[in-house]
Short mmCIF file of all heavy atoms in Angstrom, two decimals:
data_model
loop_
_atom_site.label_atom_id
_atom_site.label_comp_id
_atom_site.label_asym_id
_atom_site.label_seq_id
_atom_site.Cartn_x
_atom_site.Cartn_y
_atom_site.Cartn_z
N VAL A 409 -9.07 24.27 -8.14
CA VAL A 409 -9.09 23.64 -6.81
C VAL A 409 -10.53 23.52 -6.30
O VAL A 409 -10.93 22.47 -5.77
CB VAL A 409 -8.21 24.44 -5.83
CG1 VAL A 409 -8.42 23.94 -4.40
CG2 VAL A 409 -6.74 24.32 -6.22
N ASN A 410 -11.32 24.58 -6.47
CA ASN A 410 -12.71 24.54 -6.01
C ASN A 410 -13.53 23.52 -6.78
O ASN A 410 -14.36 22.81 -6.20
CB ASN A 410 -13.34 25.92 -6.14
CG ASN A 410 -12.84 26.89 -5.08
OD1 ASN A 410 -12.36 26.48 -4.03
ND2 ASN A 410 -12.94 28.18 -5.35
N GLU A 411 -13.29 23.42 -8.10
CA GLU A 411 -14.04 22.45 -8.90
C GLU A 411 -13.65 21.02 -8.53
O GLU A 411 -14.50 20.12 -8.49
CB GLU A 411 -13.80 22.70 -10.39
CG GLU A 411 -14.68 21.89 -11.33
CD GLU A 411 -16.16 22.25 -11.24
OE1 GLU A 411 -16.54 23.13 -10.45
OE2 GLU A 411 -16.95 21.64 -11.99
N ALA A 412 -12.37 20.80 -8.25
CA ALA A 412 -11.92 19.48 -7.83
C ALA A 412 -12.60 19.06 -6.53
O ALA A 412 -13.06 17.92 -6.38
CB ALA A 412 -10.40 19.47 -7.68
N LYS A 413 -12.68 19.98 -5.58
CA LYS A 413 -13.35 19.68 -4.31
C LYS A 413 -14.81 19.34 -4.54
O LYS A 413 -15.36 18.41 -3.93
CB LYS A 413 -13.20 20.87 -3.36
CG LYS A 413 -11.80 21.06 -2.82
CD LYS A 413 -11.71 22.27 -1.89
CE LYS A 413 -10.30 22.44 -1.36
NZ LYS A 413 -10.19 23.64 -0.49
N ARG A 414 -15.46 20.09 -5.43
CA ARG A 414 -16.87 19.85 -5.71
C ARG A 414 -17.09 18.47 -6.30
O ARG A 414 -18.09 17.81 -6.01
CB ARG A 414 -17.40 20.92 -6.68
CG ARG A 414 -18.90 20.86 -6.91
CD ARG A 414 -19.35 21.88 -7.93
NE ARG A 414 -18.99 21.51 -9.29
CZ ARG A 414 -19.68 20.66 -10.05
NH1 ARG A 414 -20.78 20.09 -9.57
NH2 ARG A 414 -19.28 20.38 -11.27
N LEU A 415 -16.13 18.01 -7.09
CA LEU A 415 -16.25 16.73 -7.79
C LEU A 415 -15.63 15.56 -7.03
O LEU A 415 -15.65 14.43 -7.50
CB LEU A 415 -15.61 16.84 -9.18
CG LEU A 415 -16.28 17.81 -10.15
CD1 LEU A 415 -15.43 17.99 -11.40
CD2 LEU A 415 -17.67 17.31 -10.52
N GLY A 416 -15.07 15.85 -5.86
CA GLY A 416 -14.46 14.78 -5.07
C GLY A 416 -13.13 14.30 -5.63
O GLY A 416 -12.74 13.15 -5.43
N ALA A 417 -12.42 15.18 -6.32
CA ALA A 417 -11.12 14.84 -6.90
C ALA A 417 -10.02 15.53 -6.08
O ALA A 417 -10.28 16.43 -5.29
CB ALA A 417 -11.05 15.28 -8.36
N ARG A 418 -8.78 15.09 -6.31
CA ARG A 418 -7.64 15.70 -5.62
C ARG A 418 -6.70 16.31 -6.65
O ARG A 418 -6.37 15.69 -7.67
CB ARG A 418 -6.86 14.67 -4.80
CG ARG A 418 -5.67 15.29 -4.06
CD ARG A 418 -4.89 14.24 -3.27
NE ARG A 418 -5.69 13.63 -2.23
CZ ARG A 418 -5.86 14.17 -1.01
NH1 ARG A 418 -5.30 15.34 -0.72
NH2 ARG A 418 -6.59 13.55 -0.11
N VAL A 419 -6.25 17.54 -6.36
CA VAL A 419 -5.26 18.22 -7.19
C VAL A 419 -3.95 18.31 -6.41
O VAL A 419 -3.94 18.66 -5.23
CB VAL A 419 -5.74 19.64 -7.57
CG1 VAL A 419 -4.62 20.41 -8.27
CG2 VAL A 419 -6.97 19.57 -8.47
N VAL A 420 -2.85 17.98 -7.07
CA VAL A 420 -1.51 18.20 -6.53
C VAL A 420 -0.84 19.23 -7.42
O VAL A 420 -0.74 19.06 -8.63
CB VAL A 420 -0.69 16.90 -6.51
CG1 VAL A 420 0.74 17.17 -6.05
CG2 VAL A 420 -1.35 15.85 -5.61
N GLY A 421 -0.35 20.34 -6.82
CA GLY A 421 0.19 21.45 -7.58
C GLY A 421 -0.82 22.57 -7.61
O GLY A 421 -1.78 22.57 -6.84
N PRO A 422 -0.62 23.54 -8.49
CA PRO A 422 0.39 23.68 -9.55
C PRO A 422 1.82 23.87 -9.02
O PRO A 422 2.04 24.00 -7.83
CB PRO A 422 -0.08 24.94 -10.30
CG PRO A 422 -1.49 25.16 -9.92
CD PRO A 422 -1.59 24.65 -8.51
N ASN A 423 2.76 23.91 -9.99
CA ASN A 423 4.17 24.12 -9.73
C ASN A 423 4.72 23.02 -8.83
O ASN A 423 5.28 23.27 -7.77
CB ASN A 423 4.42 25.50 -9.12
CG ASN A 423 5.89 25.88 -9.11
OD1 ASN A 423 6.73 25.18 -9.67
ND2 ASN A 423 6.19 26.99 -8.45
N THR A 424 4.51 21.78 -9.25
CA THR A 424 4.94 20.63 -8.47
C THR A 424 5.82 19.70 -9.30
O THR A 424 5.75 19.72 -10.54
CB THR A 424 3.72 19.83 -7.97
OG1 THR A 424 4.16 18.64 -7.30
CG2 THR A 424 2.82 19.39 -9.12
N ILE A 425 6.63 18.89 -8.62
CA ILE A 425 7.36 17.82 -9.31
C ILE A 425 6.51 16.56 -9.37
O ILE A 425 6.86 15.60 -10.04
CB ILE A 425 8.69 17.50 -8.62
CG1 ILE A 425 8.47 17.11 -7.15
CG2 ILE A 425 9.66 18.66 -8.77
CD1 ILE A 425 9.70 16.54 -6.47
N GLY A 426 5.37 16.55 -8.65
CA GLY A 426 4.46 15.43 -8.71
C GLY A 426 4.55 14.48 -7.53
O GLY A 426 4.91 14.88 -6.42
N VAL A 427 4.22 13.23 -7.80
CA VAL A 427 4.12 12.19 -6.77
C VAL A 427 4.91 10.97 -7.21
O VAL A 427 4.83 10.58 -8.38
CB VAL A 427 2.65 11.77 -6.53
CG1 VAL A 427 2.56 10.75 -5.41
CG2 VAL A 427 1.77 12.97 -6.25
N ILE A 428 5.65 10.37 -6.29
CA ILE A 428 6.35 9.13 -6.60
C ILE A 428 6.25 8.17 -5.42
O ILE A 428 6.39 8.58 -4.26
CB ILE A 428 7.84 9.38 -6.96
CG1 ILE A 428 8.53 8.06 -7.37
CG2 ILE A 428 8.59 10.05 -5.81
CD1 ILE A 428 9.91 8.26 -7.98
N SER A 429 5.95 6.92 -5.71
CA SER A 429 6.06 5.83 -4.74
C SER A 429 7.15 4.92 -5.29
O SER A 429 6.89 4.11 -6.20
CB SER A 429 4.73 5.07 -4.60
OG SER A 429 3.78 5.87 -3.94
N PRO A 430 8.39 5.09 -4.82
CA PRO A 430 9.53 4.40 -5.41
C PRO A 430 9.33 2.89 -5.54
O PRO A 430 8.81 2.24 -4.64
CB PRO A 430 10.67 4.73 -4.45
CG PRO A 430 10.29 6.05 -3.87
CD PRO A 430 8.80 5.97 -3.70
N GLY A 431 9.75 2.36 -6.68
CA GLY A 431 9.62 0.95 -6.93
C GLY A 431 8.23 0.55 -7.39
O GLY A 431 8.01 -0.61 -7.74
N LYS A 432 7.30 1.50 -7.39
CA LYS A 432 5.92 1.21 -7.78
C LYS A 432 5.50 2.05 -8.98
O LYS A 432 5.16 1.51 -10.04
CB LYS A 432 4.97 1.46 -6.61
CG LYS A 432 5.19 0.54 -5.42
CD LYS A 432 4.18 0.86 -4.32
CE LYS A 432 4.39 -0.06 -3.12
NZ LYS A 432 3.43 0.23 -2.03
N SER A 433 5.49 3.36 -8.81
CA SER A 433 4.98 4.22 -9.87
C SER A 433 5.38 5.67 -9.59
O SER A 433 5.75 6.02 -8.46
CB SER A 433 3.45 4.12 -9.94
OG SER A 433 2.93 4.88 -11.01
N LYS A 434 5.29 6.49 -10.62
CA LYS A 434 5.41 7.94 -10.42
C LYS A 434 4.48 8.66 -11.37
O LYS A 434 4.21 8.20 -12.48
CB LYS A 434 6.85 8.42 -10.60
CG LYS A 434 7.33 8.56 -12.04
CD LYS A 434 8.66 9.33 -12.10
CE LYS A 434 9.11 9.52 -13.54
NZ LYS A 434 10.34 10.35 -13.62
N LEU A 435 3.96 9.77 -10.91
CA LEU A 435 3.13 10.66 -11.71
C LEU A 435 3.74 12.05 -11.51
O LEU A 435 3.27 12.86 -10.74
CB LEU A 435 1.67 10.62 -11.24
CG LEU A 435 0.64 11.39 -12.07
CD1 LEU A 435 0.58 10.84 -13.50
CD2 LEU A 435 -0.73 11.31 -11.44
N GLY A 436 4.86 12.26 -12.19
CA GLY A 436 5.61 13.48 -11.97
C GLY A 436 6.86 13.52 -12.82
O GLY A 436 7.04 12.71 -13.73
N ILE A 437 7.74 14.48 -12.50
CA ILE A 437 8.92 14.72 -13.34
C ILE A 437 10.23 14.53 -12.57
O ILE A 437 11.28 14.95 -13.02
CB ILE A 437 8.86 16.15 -13.92
CG1 ILE A 437 8.84 17.20 -12.80
CG2 ILE A 437 7.66 16.30 -14.86
CD1 ILE A 437 8.99 18.64 -13.31
N MET A 438 10.18 13.87 -11.43
CA MET A 438 11.39 13.65 -10.65
C MET A 438 12.24 12.53 -11.25
O MET A 438 11.72 11.61 -11.90
CB MET A 438 11.07 13.33 -9.19
CG MET A 438 10.27 12.07 -8.97
SD MET A 438 8.53 12.22 -9.40
CE MET A 438 7.95 13.26 -8.06
N PRO A 439 13.58 12.59 -11.06
CA PRO A 439 14.45 11.50 -11.51
C PRO A 439 14.30 10.31 -10.56
O PRO A 439 14.82 10.33 -9.44
CB PRO A 439 15.85 12.11 -11.43
CG PRO A 439 15.75 13.18 -10.39
CD PRO A 439 14.35 13.70 -10.45
N ASP A 440 13.60 9.29 -10.98
CA ASP A 440 13.21 8.21 -10.05
C ASP A 440 14.40 7.43 -9.52
O ASP A 440 14.30 6.82 -8.45
CB ASP A 440 12.22 7.26 -10.73
CG ASP A 440 12.81 6.61 -11.97
OD1 ASP A 440 12.97 7.29 -12.99
OD2 ASP A 440 13.09 5.41 -11.91
N TYR A 441 15.54 7.45 -10.22
CA TYR A 441 16.68 6.63 -9.80
C TYR A 441 17.32 7.11 -8.49
O TYR A 441 18.10 6.36 -7.89
CB TYR A 441 17.74 6.57 -10.91
CG TYR A 441 18.26 7.92 -11.36
CD1 TYR A 441 19.31 8.55 -10.70
CD2 TYR A 441 17.68 8.57 -12.45
CE1 TYR A 441 19.78 9.79 -11.11
CE2 TYR A 441 18.15 9.81 -12.86
CZ TYR A 441 19.20 10.40 -12.20
OH TYR A 441 19.66 11.63 -12.62
N ILE A 442 17.02 8.31 -8.03
CA ILE A 442 17.57 8.75 -6.74
C ILE A 442 16.58 8.54 -5.60
O ILE A 442 16.87 8.87 -4.45
CB ILE A 442 18.01 10.23 -6.78
CG1 ILE A 442 16.81 11.16 -6.99
CG2 ILE A 442 19.08 10.46 -7.83
CD1 ILE A 442 17.15 12.63 -6.84
N TYR A 443 15.42 7.97 -5.91
CA TYR A 443 14.38 7.73 -4.91
C TYR A 443 14.34 6.23 -4.61
O TYR A 443 13.72 5.45 -5.34
CB TYR A 443 13.02 8.20 -5.42
CG TYR A 443 12.86 9.70 -5.45
CD1 TYR A 443 13.48 10.47 -6.44
CD2 TYR A 443 12.07 10.35 -4.51
CE1 TYR A 443 13.32 11.85 -6.48
CE2 TYR A 443 11.90 11.73 -4.55
CZ TYR A 443 12.54 12.47 -5.53
OH TYR A 443 12.39 13.83 -5.57
N GLY A 444 15.00 5.80 -3.53
CA GLY A 444 14.99 4.40 -3.16
C GLY A 444 13.71 4.01 -2.45
O GLY A 444 13.07 4.83 -1.79
N LYS A 445 13.33 2.76 -2.58
CA LYS A 445 12.09 2.27 -1.98
C LYS A 445 12.29 1.99 -0.49
O LYS A 445 13.28 1.38 -0.09
CB LYS A 445 11.64 0.99 -2.68
CG LYS A 445 10.32 0.43 -2.15
CD LYS A 445 9.98 -0.88 -2.83
CE LYS A 445 8.69 -1.46 -2.26
NZ LYS A 445 8.39 -2.80 -2.81
N GLY A 446 11.36 2.45 0.33
CA GLY A 446 11.45 2.22 1.76
C GLY A 446 10.23 2.70 2.50
O GLY A 446 9.11 2.57 2.00
N HIS A 447 10.44 3.35 3.67
CA HIS A 447 9.30 3.61 4.56
C HIS A 447 9.28 5.02 5.15
O HIS A 447 8.68 5.23 6.19
CB HIS A 447 9.31 2.56 5.68
CG HIS A 447 9.18 1.17 5.17
ND1 HIS A 447 7.97 0.59 4.87
CD2 HIS A 447 10.13 0.26 4.84
CE1 HIS A 447 8.18 -0.64 4.41
NE2 HIS A 447 9.48 -0.86 4.39
N ILE A 448 9.91 5.97 4.49
CA ILE A 448 9.86 7.36 4.94
C ILE A 448 9.13 8.19 3.88
O ILE A 448 9.45 8.12 2.70
CB ILE A 448 11.27 7.94 5.16
CG1 ILE A 448 11.98 7.17 6.27
CG2 ILE A 448 11.20 9.43 5.53
CD1 ILE A 448 13.43 7.59 6.49
N GLY A 449 8.12 8.94 4.31
CA GLY A 449 7.38 9.80 3.40
C GLY A 449 7.95 11.20 3.40
O GLY A 449 8.45 11.68 4.42
N ILE A 450 7.90 11.87 2.26
CA ILE A 450 8.35 13.26 2.15
C ILE A 450 7.21 14.10 1.61
O ILE A 450 6.55 13.73 0.63
CB ILE A 450 9.57 13.41 1.23
CG1 ILE A 450 10.78 12.64 1.78
CG2 ILE A 450 9.93 14.89 1.05
CD1 ILE A 450 12.01 12.72 0.88
N ILE A 451 6.97 15.25 2.26
CA ILE A 451 5.99 16.24 1.78
C ILE A 451 6.74 17.55 1.65
O ILE A 451 7.32 18.05 2.62
CB ILE A 451 4.84 16.43 2.78
CG1 ILE A 451 4.29 15.08 3.26
CG2 ILE A 451 3.73 17.27 2.16
CD1 ILE A 451 3.39 15.21 4.48
N SER A 452 6.75 18.13 0.44
CA SER A 452 7.62 19.29 0.22
C SER A 452 7.01 20.29 -0.74
O SER A 452 6.29 19.93 -1.67
CB SER A 452 8.97 18.80 -0.32
OG SER A 452 9.80 19.88 -0.65
N ARG A 453 7.34 21.55 -0.51
CA ARG A 453 6.96 22.60 -1.44
C ARG A 453 8.02 22.79 -2.53
O ARG A 453 7.74 23.39 -3.57
CB ARG A 453 6.77 23.93 -0.69
CG ARG A 453 5.49 23.94 0.15
CD ARG A 453 5.45 25.09 1.14
NE ARG A 453 5.31 26.39 0.50
CZ ARG A 453 5.23 27.53 1.17
NH1 ARG A 453 5.27 27.54 2.49
NH2 ARG A 453 5.10 28.66 0.53
N SER A 454 9.23 22.32 -2.30
CA SER A 454 10.34 22.54 -3.23
C SER A 454 10.76 21.25 -3.91
O SER A 454 11.11 20.28 -3.24
CB SER A 454 11.53 23.13 -2.48
OG SER A 454 12.71 23.06 -3.27
N GLY A 455 10.78 21.24 -5.23
CA GLY A 455 11.24 20.08 -5.96
C GLY A 455 12.71 19.79 -5.73
O GLY A 455 13.11 18.65 -5.46
N THR A 456 13.54 20.84 -5.83
CA THR A 456 14.98 20.66 -5.67
C THR A 456 15.33 20.12 -4.29
O THR A 456 16.16 19.20 -4.15
CB THR A 456 15.71 22.00 -5.89
OG1 THR A 456 15.39 22.50 -7.20
CG2 THR A 456 17.22 21.82 -5.78
N LEU A 457 14.70 20.65 -3.25
CA LEU A 457 14.98 20.19 -1.90
C LEU A 457 14.47 18.76 -1.68
O LEU A 457 15.04 18.00 -0.89
CB LEU A 457 14.39 21.15 -0.87
CG LEU A 457 14.90 22.59 -0.91
CD1 LEU A 457 14.39 23.38 0.29
CD2 LEU A 457 16.41 22.66 -0.98
N THR A 458 13.40 18.41 -2.38
CA THR A 458 12.90 17.03 -2.31
C THR A 458 13.91 16.08 -2.92
O THR A 458 14.23 15.03 -2.34
CB THR A 458 11.56 16.88 -3.05
OG1 THR A 458 10.65 17.88 -2.59
CG2 THR A 458 10.96 15.51 -2.81
N HIS A 459 14.43 16.44 -4.10
CA HIS A 459 15.43 15.60 -4.75
C HIS A 459 16.64 15.38 -3.84
O HIS A 459 17.12 14.25 -3.68
CB HIS A 459 15.92 16.25 -6.05
CG HIS A 459 14.86 16.45 -7.09
ND1 HIS A 459 13.73 15.66 -7.17
CD2 HIS A 459 14.77 17.35 -8.10
CE1 HIS A 459 12.99 16.08 -8.20
NE2 HIS A 459 13.60 17.09 -8.76
N GLU A 460 17.13 16.46 -3.27
CA GLU A 460 18.33 16.36 -2.44
C GLU A 460 18.08 15.50 -1.21
O GLU A 460 18.90 14.65 -0.84
CB GLU A 460 18.82 17.75 -2.02
CG GLU A 460 20.11 17.70 -1.21
CD GLU A 460 20.71 19.07 -0.95
OE1 GLU A 460 20.27 20.05 -1.57
OE2 GLU A 460 21.64 19.14 -0.13
N THR A 461 16.94 15.71 -0.57
CA THR A 461 16.62 14.93 0.63
C THR A 461 16.43 13.45 0.30
O THR A 461 16.92 12.57 1.01
CB THR A 461 15.35 15.49 1.29
OG1 THR A 461 15.58 16.87 1.62
CG2 THR A 461 15.02 14.73 2.57
N ALA A 462 15.71 13.18 -0.78
CA ALA A 462 15.51 11.79 -1.20
C ALA A 462 16.83 11.11 -1.52
O ALA A 462 17.06 9.96 -1.13
CB ALA A 462 14.58 11.74 -2.41
N SER A 463 17.69 11.83 -2.21
CA SER A 463 19.01 11.28 -2.55
C SER A 463 19.83 11.01 -1.30
O SER A 463 20.47 9.95 -1.17
CB SER A 463 19.75 12.26 -3.48
OG SER A 463 21.04 11.78 -3.78
N ASN A 464 19.83 11.96 -0.36
CA ASN A 464 20.59 11.79 0.88
C ASN A 464 20.09 10.59 1.68
O ASN A 464 20.89 9.79 2.19
CB ASN A 464 20.48 13.05 1.75
CG ASN A 464 21.26 14.23 1.18
OD1 ASN A 464 22.10 14.05 0.30
ND2 ASN A 464 20.96 15.43 1.66
N LEU A 465 18.77 10.46 1.80
CA LEU A 465 18.21 9.36 2.56
C LEU A 465 18.49 8.02 1.89
O LEU A 465 18.83 7.03 2.55
CB LEU A 465 16.69 9.54 2.72
CG LEU A 465 16.26 10.65 3.68
CD1 LEU A 465 14.77 10.92 3.56
CD2 LEU A 465 16.61 10.30 5.13
N THR A 466 18.36 7.98 0.57
CA THR A 466 18.64 6.75 -0.16
C THR A 466 20.10 6.35 -0.02
O THR A 466 20.43 5.18 0.22
CB THR A 466 18.28 6.92 -1.65
OG1 THR A 466 16.88 7.23 -1.76
CG2 THR A 466 18.57 5.65 -2.44
N PHE A 467 21.01 7.32 -0.14
CA PHE A 467 22.44 7.06 -0.04
C PHE A 467 22.81 6.52 1.34
O PHE A 467 23.70 5.67 1.47
CB PHE A 467 23.22 8.35 -0.31
CG PHE A 467 24.72 8.19 -0.24
CD1 PHE A 467 25.42 7.59 -1.26
CD2 PHE A 467 25.43 8.64 0.87
CE1 PHE A 467 26.79 7.43 -1.19
CE2 PHE A 467 26.79 8.49 0.96
CZ PHE A 467 27.48 7.88 -0.08
N LYS A 468 22.11 6.99 2.35
CA LYS A 468 22.38 6.55 3.72
C LYS A 468 21.65 5.26 4.11
O LYS A 468 21.76 4.81 5.23
CB LYS A 468 22.02 7.67 4.71
CG LYS A 468 22.94 8.88 4.65
CD LYS A 468 24.34 8.53 5.12
CE LYS A 468 25.22 9.79 5.18
NZ LYS A 468 26.59 9.47 5.66
N GLY A 469 20.90 4.70 3.15
CA GLY A 469 20.26 3.42 3.41
C GLY A 469 18.83 3.47 3.87
O GLY A 469 18.25 2.45 4.24
N TYR A 470 18.21 4.67 3.84
CA TYR A 470 16.79 4.80 4.16
C TYR A 470 16.03 5.01 2.84
O TYR A 470 16.40 5.83 2.03
CB TYR A 470 16.53 6.00 5.06
CG TYR A 470 17.26 5.97 6.37
CD1 TYR A 470 18.43 6.70 6.54
CD2 TYR A 470 16.80 5.22 7.44
CE1 TYR A 470 19.12 6.68 7.75
CE2 TYR A 470 17.47 5.19 8.64
CZ TYR A 470 18.63 5.92 8.80
OH TYR A 470 19.30 5.90 9.99
N GLY A 471 14.95 4.27 2.66
CA GLY A 471 14.18 4.44 1.46
C GLY A 471 12.92 5.26 1.70
O GLY A 471 12.61 5.64 2.83
N LEU A 472 12.18 5.52 0.64
CA LEU A 472 10.99 6.36 0.70
C LEU A 472 9.75 5.54 0.36
O LEU A 472 9.77 4.70 -0.52
CB LEU A 472 11.11 7.53 -0.29
CG LEU A 472 12.24 8.58 -0.12
CD1 LEU A 472 12.37 9.01 1.32
CD2 LEU A 472 13.56 8.08 -0.66
N SER A 473 8.66 5.83 1.06
CA SER A 473 7.38 5.19 0.76
C SER A 473 6.67 5.96 -0.35
O SER A 473 6.40 5.44 -1.42
CB SER A 473 6.51 5.10 2.01
OG SER A 473 6.36 6.39 2.61
N THR A 474 6.36 7.21 -0.09
CA THR A 474 5.78 8.11 -1.10
C THR A 474 6.32 9.51 -0.86
O THR A 474 6.45 9.94 0.28
CB THR A 474 4.24 8.15 -1.02
OG1 THR A 474 3.72 6.83 -1.14
CG2 THR A 474 3.66 9.01 -2.13
N CYS A 475 6.63 10.20 -1.94
CA CYS A 475 7.08 11.59 -1.86
C CYS A 475 6.11 12.45 -2.67
O CYS A 475 5.82 12.13 -3.82
CB CYS A 475 8.49 11.75 -2.42
SG CYS A 475 9.71 10.72 -1.59
N VAL A 476 5.63 13.52 -2.05
CA VAL A 476 4.64 14.39 -2.69
C VAL A 476 5.17 15.82 -2.72
O VAL A 476 5.46 16.41 -1.67
CB VAL A 476 3.29 14.36 -1.95
CG1 VAL A 476 2.28 15.26 -2.66
CG2 VAL A 476 2.77 12.94 -1.83
#
Side-chain angles (χ1 to χ4, degrees):
V409 170
N410 286 338
E411 188 66 359
K413 289 179 179 178
R414 187 183 74 82
L415 295 171
R418 181 181 297 276
V419 173
V420 175
N423 192 7
T424 175
I425 57 170
V427 183
I428 184 170
S429 289
K432 295 181 180 180
S433 184
K434 78 168 183 176
L435 186 61
I437 60 172
M438 62 285 288
D440 61 288
Y441 57 86
I442 65 172
Y443 287 75
K445 182 184 178 185
H447 300 276
I448 298 175
I450 297 178
I451 313 166
S452 175
R453 287 167 69 179
S454 166
T456 302
L457 300 189
T458 309
H459 298 333
E460 183 171 348
T461 301
S463 178
N464 289 345
L465 288 169
T466 300
F467 181 76
K468 290 293 186 179
Y470 301 99
L472 298 315
S473 54
T474 304
C475 302
V476 181

